[in-house]
Amino acid sequence: MLVNNAGIASAGVTEAFTTEQAKAIFDTNVIGLLRVTRAVLPSMRQKRDGLIINIGSILGRVTFPFVGIYGASKFAVEALTDSLRYEVSQLGVEVVEVQPSGYPTNFFTNLQTPAGIEVTESYGEVGHIPDAMVTSLTSTFEGKDAPNPHDVAEAIVKLVGQAKGSRAVRTVVGAPFGSDQANEDVAPVQSKVVEALGLSHLEKIA
């Protein structure tokens, strides 16, 4: 079993992030996931058994302003998850995703902000919105009603304990912001896509 949980968060005016910053975020959130997956798949394929749980985000389904680069990386995880799921299904390997909402972890301690400070300043009042969003989120996380990160661990444990072939492709954990609805709406569309390609058999794990 593999749980792909590497991630770097980012918040700020998208234009103000340098290409180097964007590359670093994608290298961890997307390429890192691919690297580790490639390392474990050969043995899983050989055994014709395995479970890969990718930790995505609700921001891979819905978009918040000022979280564009992080969100783009999580949208990429959505595509990788689905493509891998189809490709290895007949080899006995199951690929699913957990989509957490915001939780108080050290994830936010390492939050990347734009290097282009002058660009952010040129946005005027709009440029101050990301800081206000982060401050609001942080105060929510410090309150007595703060969401418990243990929810995510419990969702993973539940998936691990389920029978092969019975697991949900996507599991939203925490405040969904409509991502659960997006999952529900996209699923039949995605099924029709693979059907149109004559590959519907890849939807069910062998």
Side-chain angles (χ1 to χ4, degrees):
M1 186 194 74
L2 166 66
V3 178
N4 273 314
N5 191 35
I8 299 178
S10 66
V13 172
T14 300
E15 183 191 348
F17 282 95
T18 64
T19 53
E20 288 74 20
Q21 285 184 299
K23 283 177 183 176
I25 291 165
F26 268 76
D27 189 54
T28 298
N29 297 4
V30 183
I31 306 304
L33 178 147
L34 187 58
R35 279 192 201 101
V36 179
T37 301
R38 291 186 69 236
V40 303
L41 270 178
S43 63
M44 287 184 174
R45 287 190 288 104
Q46 186 177 18
K47 294 174 184 174
R48 297 191 71 81
D49 189 40
L51 172 62
I52 296 174
I53 301 175
N54 290 333
I55 307 301
S57 170
I58 61 163
L59 296 176
R61 281 299 201 202
V62 296
T63 301
F64 288 8
F66 309 105
V67 197
I69 294 175
Y70 174 76
S73 74
K74 289 302 183 178
F75 266 82
V77 169
E78 295 291 330
L80 279 173
T81 297
D82 275 334
S83 193
L84 282 165
R85 176 166 62 89
Y86 298 134
E87 292 166 25
V88 300
S89 67
Q90 304 310 291
L91 306 174
V93 182
E94 196 163 14
V95 183
V96 299
E97 185 180 346
V98 172
Q99 300 166 311
S101 190
Y103 281 91
T105 67
N106 60 5
F107 178 72
F108 288 94
T109 309
N110 301 316
L111 183 78
Q112 298 293 301
T113 55
I117 295 168
E118 289 181 5
V119 175
T120 298
E121 288 175 351
S122 73
Y123 272 66
E125 289 183 12
V126 173
H128 294 293
I129 295 174
D131 287 341
M133 287 174 66
V134 172
T135 300
S136 173
L137 201 58
T138 303
S139 66
T140 300
F141 287 168
E142 291 171 351
K144 61 180 175 64
D145 295 323
N148 188 346
H150 193 64
D151 295 348
V152 180
E154 287 181 351
I156 292 169
V157 169
K158 183 179 177 182
L159 284 166
V160 172
Q162 291 171 333
K164 190 173 180 176
S166 71
R167 299 175 176 104
V169 175
R170 287 175 171 81
T171 302
V172 176
V173 186
F177 286 94
S179 59
D180 51 349
Q181 185 65 55
N183 288 338
E184 194 177 315
D185 291 344
V186 170
V189 175
Q190 189 61 48
S191 290
K192 286 179 182 176
V193 169
V194 291
E195 182 183 351
L197 295 170
L199 298 173
S200 289
H201 64 290
L202 300 183
E203 289 206 273
K204 297 292 183 184
I205 191 160

